[in-house]
Amino acid sequence: GAGGLGCEILKNLALLGFKDLEVIDMDTVDLSNLNRQFLFRERDIGKPKANAAAEFVQKRVKGCAIAPHFDRIENKPNAFYLQFCCIILGLDSLEARRWINAKVCELTEWEYDEEMGKAVVRSTIPLVDGGTEGFKGHARVVEIGRTACIESTEWMFPPQVTFPMCTLENVPRLPEHCVEYVKVKTWEEAWPFGKGVKVDGDSVEHIMWIAEKAAARGADHDIHGITYAFTQGVVKNIVPAIASTNAIIAAACCNEVFKMATSCAPILNNYFMYNGNSIDHGVYGQVQAFDADDSCATSRAPLLITCPASITPRGFVEKFLLRSPQVVNANYEEYTDAAGLTLQSTTYGPLIAPASSIIHVEVAKPFAELNLDDHGDAAPILIASDPTFWGKATLKILLKME
């Protein structure tokens, strides 16, 4: 990201001496960004944030090369992420964090440890995640296999504020109630910009229309203070950004990256919480260690299965996945029917896909002929999924062939 937090992070990394950086952001510079995103100027309005930020830093810090990407993170291939020693997150949504967390888990390589008798991480890309909301913020280090991942600790992120419809419709008490009512109900009754056209929080016309209707509704209930800026803040769920909080959290994140690169000091273990609005102390900070969660379907270690190299994918399913005490769902029920199962290799691709899926696949060759250990000495990984049994979760399998 190259927003409020991303600008601080880019500046810090460049001044710390990091020479080879890449930044990705799908957004463009807006006038409202200029009060805190200090790498941008009025002439940059409308330009991609990543490009403008990279250009500014490279001019000020000689020898620092920054490759900008005006794109969505999910559009990049695996090879893009595999080139990095560390990924730093300055994102503004939980969904984006969950996506990059899942991508890093997907790219993590596992191996069998003879002494420990279980699968352990062979290589992974560390994540350093920063986030701010008003006077509050956090910096954390995520290392798959050692710490909790973002998915397993999503409960720490504050839920989005919602209002009951009965309150919005019958007893509005706050300016927010009026704006939300117009956004949710009046909009779909009137369709002011054409039937089916959804609210665009970045459209001046859309926000103006909502603000006018909300102000009129507020006047009917003796509620005041509904302005354009206030309306946009409610529509986009904007929490006022505080530049100093961004600076504090960005500094904490970059300190951890510096320590990783130099081994000059112990790395954060592993979640730092900052509160600049503490009722008791004014300012408060705390570090909490969150261990890896073995129940997390995204980051948990794969299930180790030893099988003969001569077995076929279908034979593997029949012998090792069906009616196996190792393969159970959340209710500890064994898997008894593989009619809807999809089995794929992270190197080879789909091995089994049912006729009901988009493509029907049934690879008949034995594992020995499929080059599943294409990653050199890394153990092959299989992914099994079946909505009739595991739901949205997938089963990751570390294959040990004899």
Side-chain angles (χ1 to χ4, degrees):
L5 202 56
C7 284
E8 290 279 359
I9 290 171
L10 271 178
K11 176 260 295 181
N12 289 351
L13 292 175
L15 294 176
L16 280 168
F18 289 93
K19 303 289 187 181
D20 188 8
L21 305 171
E22 299 197 26
V23 57
I24 181 169
D25 198 301
M26 59 176 281
D27 203 3
T28 56
V29 180
D30 184 74
L31 177 64
S32 63
N33 301 146
L34 302 185
N35 70 328
R36 64 194 182 283
Q37 297 176 22
F38 54 87
L39 299 182
F40 308 135
R41 298 295 182 267
E42 191 170 353
R43 62 178 177 272
D44 295 321
I45 292 175
K47 294 181 182 178
K49 285 186 176 181
N51 298 58
E55 181 182 355
F56 189 98
V57 173
Q58 288 178 113
K59 282 182 179 178
R60 294 290 294 270
V61 184
K62 301 302 181 184
C64 180
I66 304 176
H69 301 272
F70 178 43
D71 205 351
R72 302 177 68 91
I73 56 174
E74 58 265 37
N75 289 344
K76 293 296 184 182
N78 287 351
F80 173 77
Y81 294 104
L82 284 169
Q83 67 179 313
F84 299 118
C85 300
C86 181
I87 297 175
I88 310 165
L89 308 182
L91 300 168
D92 60 0
S93 74
L94 176 58
E95 289 75 17
R97 287 183 172 89
R98 292 177 64 183
W99 189 92
I100 198 72
N101 177 79
K103 176 57 66 176
V104 167
C105 290
E106 176 191 333
L107 299 177
T108 297
E109 293 185 355
W110 299 80
E111 63 185 2
Y112 177 66
D113 188 296
E114 297 282 354
E115 292 184 5
M116 300 180 69
K118 65 176 185 178
V120 296
V121 171
R122 179 174 181 267
S123 68
T124 190
I125 306 169
L127 292 174
V128 177
D129 174 43
T132 64
E133 188 174 85
F135 280 107
K136 299 178 181 178
H138 77 267
R140 69 184 300 184
V141 174
V142 176
E143 291 183 37
I144 304 304
R146 186 181 73 84
T147 73
C149 74
I150 292 172
E151 184 75 29
S152 62
T153 53
E154 65 171 333
W155 53 269
M156 293 193 297
F157 291 88
Q160 186 169 337
V161 177
T162 58
F163 304 105
M165 179 52 73
C166 57
T167 300
L168 300 181
E169 192 158 12
N170 301 320
V171 284
R173 298 184 298 274
L174 301 171
E176 290 90 337
H177 293 165
C178 299
V179 174
E180 195 69 16
Y181 178 84
V182 173
K183 172 192 167 187
V184 172
K185 188 164 185 182
T186 310
W187 182 277
E188 295 192 0
E189 290 177 347
W191 294 118
F193 297 92
K195 189 170 179 61
V197 177
K198 299 295 185 181
V199 175
D200 180 358
D202 294 315
S203 167
V204 175
E205 293 79 10
H206 288 199
I207 299 301
M208 284 288 291
W209 189 89
I210 294 173
E212 290 173 4
K213 297 296 182 183
R217 181 171 175 79
D220 292 340
H221 294 84
D222 198 26
I223 298 172
H224 307 284
I226 300 174
T227 62
Y228 176 91
F230 177 84
T231 301
Q232 187 175 45
V234 174
V235 170
K236 298 181 68 175
N237 195 32
I238 295 173
V239 177
I242 298 175
S244 54
T245 306
N246 287 337
I248 291 167
I249 297 303
C253 290
C254 293
N255 273 350
E256 297 313 309
V257 178
F258 183 76
K259 288 190 287 184
M260 287 180 188
T262 63
S263 300
C264 65
I267 296 172
L268 171 67
N269 186 30
N270 45 59
Y271 184 95
F272 167 63
M273 182 272 291
Y274 168 79
N275 185 356
N277 190 25
S278 169
I279 295 176
D280 295 328
H281 307 288
V283 176
Y284 178 76
Q286 181 183 10
V287 174
Q288 179 73 42
F290 291 100
D291 295 331
D293 184 354
D294 293 336
S295 66
C296 176
T298 303
S299 62
R300 66 188 173 195
L303 176 66
L304 178 67
I305 295 181
T306 303
C307 72
S310 59
I311 200 168
T312 64
R314 179 60 64 182
F316 173 80
V317 170
E318 297 289 340
K319 185 171 183 179
F320 294 98
L321 298 190
L322 294 185
R323 293 168 291 279
S324 168
Q326 284 185 295
V327 183
V328 294
N329 64 13
N331 296 322
Y332 299 98
E333 300 166 334
E334 292 183 6
Y335 189 37
T336 58
D337 182 9
L341 178 133
T342 298
L343 184 70
Q344 61 180 330
S345 160
T346 55
T347 54
Y348 184 87
L351 300 171
I352 297 175
S356 59
S357 62
I358 298 175
I359 57 169
H360 177 50
V361 178
E362 184 78 31
V363 175
K365 292 181 179 180
F367 284 154
E369 298 180 21
L370 299 179
N371 297 321
L372 299 181
D373 52 354
D374 220 24
H375 281 320
D377 57 348
I381 293 286
L382 299 183
I383 308 293
S385 59
D386 189 337
T388 64
F389 184 70
W390 288 299
K392 293 183 179 179
T394 57
L395 181 67
K396 187 180 291 185
I397 302 162
L398 181 70
L399 203 59
K400 185 181 180 185
M401 293 185 287
E402 296 180 333

